[in-house]
Amino acid sequence: GPRGDDGSEPAHRAERGRERLMDLETLLQRAISLADGGDWGPAAEVLRDNVADFADEASVHCALGVAERELGNDGVAYECFKKALALQPEDPYVLATAGNGVAWFDDPAAMEALKSAALLAPDVPLTRMLYGAYLAREGFHDWAVEQLEAAREIDKADPQIRYELGVAHALSGQTSRAADSLGEAVQLEPSDGWMRM
């Protein structure tokens, strides 16, 4: 961005008392790389340390929510996801992730967030899968199967989509279809015990 004559950051970056230690992309990349090894503690820490500087960034609250949830801090995670949604994000990944996050707490805001994500990014399998899974659990079986079949068409190799489709069929009483989908999920990822439960 534009710099002052002395090479400093523009005034608006520092006007909230102190300059940000890193930019948004750097922060999120650092958190992702820390979490890649499955160690969510350092990822959560770097996000907690910087969240005050990015109070208006839904993606940071959402990422912190994911990290806190992975650490078992469900209540804190819920507050992070709620904060992310309150900032009215337009990023479909943030909407889908935060919407899914609040759905676990039966928060009615989940429906709108997940629906918006699927409408904003109908070609992204994650948005369709999370919306479909939510609809299935809320009893909207036909809509759920529609979303999950659309997700399956986009990504035929994702076992999680097949698993959620199997769950949706099971919840609607379609046992043979459920067995087929769950069987496909296991074939796609035989090492995943969760798929076989």
Side-chain angles (χ1 to χ4, degrees):
R3 292 179 175 271
D5 293 338
D6 60 353
S8 64
E9 288 290 326
H12 71 267
R13 285 292 287 280
E15 70 190 6
R16 282 176 304 177
R18 64 189 182 99
E19 293 193 29
R20 288 177 174 176
L21 297 174
M22 59 182 99
D23 65 25
L24 178 62
E25 197 172 327
T26 305
L27 173 60
L28 293 174
Q29 281 305 319
R30 184 169 295 178
I32 288 165
S33 67
L34 287 167
D36 263 354
D39 189 356
W40 288 91
E45 213 167 288
V46 75
L47 289 163
R48 286 182 202 128
D49 288 349
N50 289 278
V51 72
D53 285 346
F54 296 93
D56 54 349
E57 291 289 352
S59 57
V60 175
H61 294 284
C62 186
L64 182 54
V66 171
E68 296 286 9
R69 184 177 62 196
E70 290 293 331
L71 290 170
N73 302 327
D74 291 347
V76 179
Y78 174 57
E79 292 304 323
C80 292
F81 291 133
K82 264 178 51 169
K83 177 68 178 167
L85 292 177
L87 291 165
Q88 301 181 313
E90 293 177 6
D91 180 318
Y93 288 97
V94 172
L95 278 166
T97 305
N100 187 52
V102 300
W104 288 102
F105 294 87
D106 293 326
D107 189 315
M111 172 72 101
E112 192 56 41
L114 291 165
K115 182 180 179 181
S116 297
L119 289 171
L120 281 168
D123 53 344
V124 173
L126 176 77
T127 66
R128 303 293 285 265
M129 179 185 78
L130 291 178
Y131 184 38
Y134 175 78
L135 290 170
R137 286 166 177 81
E138 291 296 308
F140 301 107
H141 303 302
D142 293 346
W143 293 354
V145 168
E146 195 179 301
Q147 291 296 324
L148 291 163
E149 285 182 343
R152 185 185 60 192
E153 283 307 302
I154 301 163
D155 187 349
K156 293 181 168 60
D158 186 333
Q160 188 66 33
I161 293 170
R162 305 289 176 131
Y163 174 78
E164 292 296 352
L165 186 55
V167 170
H169 284 313
L171 289 172
S172 66
Q174 303 274 332
T175 48
S176 67
R177 283 185 169 182
D180 289 346
S181 286
L182 293 170
E184 289 165 8
V186 171
Q187 283 176 338
L188 285 167
E189 192 153 354
S191 63
D192 190 343
W194 176 248
M195 300 291 183
R196 294 194 292 275
M197 287 183 52

